[in-house]
Amino acid sequence: MIDDIERIRAAAPAAVEAASSVDELRAVEADLLGRRGSLTELKKGLGALDPDARREVGAALNLARGSIEELVEARRAALEGAERAAVIAAERLDLTERTGHRTRGALHLVTQTWDRLVDVFIGMGFTVAEGPEVETDWYNFEALNIPAAHPARGMWDTLYVDLGDPETVLLRTHTSPVQIRVMTETPPPIYAVMPGRVYRRDTADATHMPVFHQIEGLVIDRDISFADMAGTLEAFTSAYFGGSIHSRLRPSYFPFTEPSAEYDINCVFCEGSGCRTCSQTGWLELGGCGMVHPNVLRNVGLDGEEWTGFAFGFGLDRLALMRHGVDDIREMYSGDVRFLEQFPS
Ligand code: DAH
């Protein structure tokens, strides 16, 4: 038996070394050490030996097992290391800069949309303004005719910043506070758009992100009517989406406008026949609008007898998705090159 053990031990290194993958090694290990392995078979013969011989053979078996186990472990470590290196090599991203190579980067779809929207409105005679993303309660709510404890505050799930008195500083929930800043800083007439990033306490799904973008619009002049607003929004719709898409206004409520409306466009997915994205209505909701509320004009020191105006606020990301027929806003923020590459310029 001692000879048998020695033979198995001597043959083991070559067998272990011959295993070229972790799976193959597992099979070799089972042959040598497993329940039906050759050493285990020998061990079964121990019972038939006299005590002295049993002690001697038993010790030889244990030694052989120990040395084979060490061989197997060393080989396993080497094979696992090689397999990991192969995976890393296969998944490696080549980030070497190659000038003149045709897979050059491009502006993100949000940036492209931002620029495009601003261009459309500049073409219609608007100027562009921006405001801070960290706002005070006054600009984000109070000045917009949403006093503390007003039930309409529930329309915006707000993220507050731990600064000053509790709930006085926040991440702006919409771009509407920029209206207030523009009206306090510039005398009318005002024709301005205000694109920007906004924040809400929201869980990401196909139509929501906790961080997204809006574009706000504000017109303040003499004798501005609801019809001016409807005409402006329809002109914008065909400039941005093309002549086959039209807009409609639906009665709604916002504290800072009266009357208020919801701005919808023909569904770009089904062109009006009804589909899952438009909930079978044929229309897509893109934002709100309305005639600036007299209280808002008063809050910024404008005479509501002399000046009237309208305002609107649209989801910028949503405008981009609808224009390109994409039905999940999370695509915008996944950073997946396969998505981004579809919008090269
Ligand atoms: N600020 C609103 C929101 O985020 C959208 C909005 C509605 C803006 C009506 C407006 C407006 O300027 O007039 O839900």
Side-chain angles (χ1 to χ4, degrees), residues 156 173-174 176 179 200 214 216-217 254 256-257 288-290 311-313:
W156 297 272
T173 58
H174 48 184
S176 302
Q179 286 184 35
R200 295 203 190 157
Q214 290 186 332
E216 194 81 13
F254 294 98
F256 30 89
T257 42
C289 57
F312 55 88

Side-chain angles (χ1 to χ4, degrees), residues 149-340:
H150 192 287
R153 289 219 176 185
M155 293 167 76
W156 297 272
D157 289 314
T158 309
L159 290 159
Y160 288 94
V161 175
D162 193 4
L163 209 71
D165 289 336
E167 305 201 348
T168 54
V169 183
L170 45 80
L171 297 179
R172 66 177 178 196
T173 58
H174 48 184
T175 42
S176 302
V178 192
Q179 286 184 35
I180 302 299
R181 291 182 177 274
V182 168
M183 284 188 282
T184 27
E185 283 157 25
T186 17
I190 296 169
Y191 291 79
V193 285
M194 298 142 263
R197 187 183 290 143
V198 299
Y199 301 81
R200 295 203 190 157
R201 216 182 61 228
D202 229 338
T203 307
D205 64 24
T207 53
H208 298 88
M209 283 298 283
V211 182
F212 59 106
H213 300 81
Q214 290 186 332
I215 183 160
E216 194 81 13
L218 177 69
V219 168
I220 303 283
D221 207 339
R222 295 187 174 90
D223 302 322
I224 294 291
S225 72
F226 197 89
D228 294 317
M229 179 178 79
T232 303
L233 293 183
E234 178 63 15
F236 157 73
T237 306
S238 37
Y240 183 69
F241 288 100
S244 62
I245 300 291
H246 297 282
S247 61
R248 79 169 178 187
L249 299 176
R250 218 160 17 92
S252 188
Y253 170 76
F254 294 98
F256 30 89
T257 42
E258 180 58 38
S260 303
E262 214 73 53
Y263 161 76
D264 296 348
I265 61 162
N266 299 124
C267 180
V268 297
F269 294 92
C270 64
E271 284 163 358
S273 57
C275 67
R276 207 172 49 90
T277 309
C278 63
S279 312
Q280 312 303 331
T281 62
W283 294 93
L284 297 169
E285 200 178 300
L286 288 183
C289 57
M291 304 307 290
V292 178
H293 197 289
N295 288 350
V296 174
L297 294 175
R298 193 173 310 122
N299 288 339
V300 295
L302 286 177
D303 177 0
E305 294 296 320
E306 183 177 4
W307 303 104
T308 49
F310 64 83
F312 55 88
F314 302 154
L316 188 152
D317 317 81
R318 199 162 152 78
L319 282 166
L321 296 177
M322 296 312 139
R323 184 162 180 275
H324 296 284
V326 182
D327 64 1
D328 194 323
I329 191 174
R330 288 168 295 192
E331 298 278 12
M332 286 290 222
Y333 299 97
S334 67
D336 190 326
V337 177
R338 291 164 302 180
F339 175 76
L340 297 172

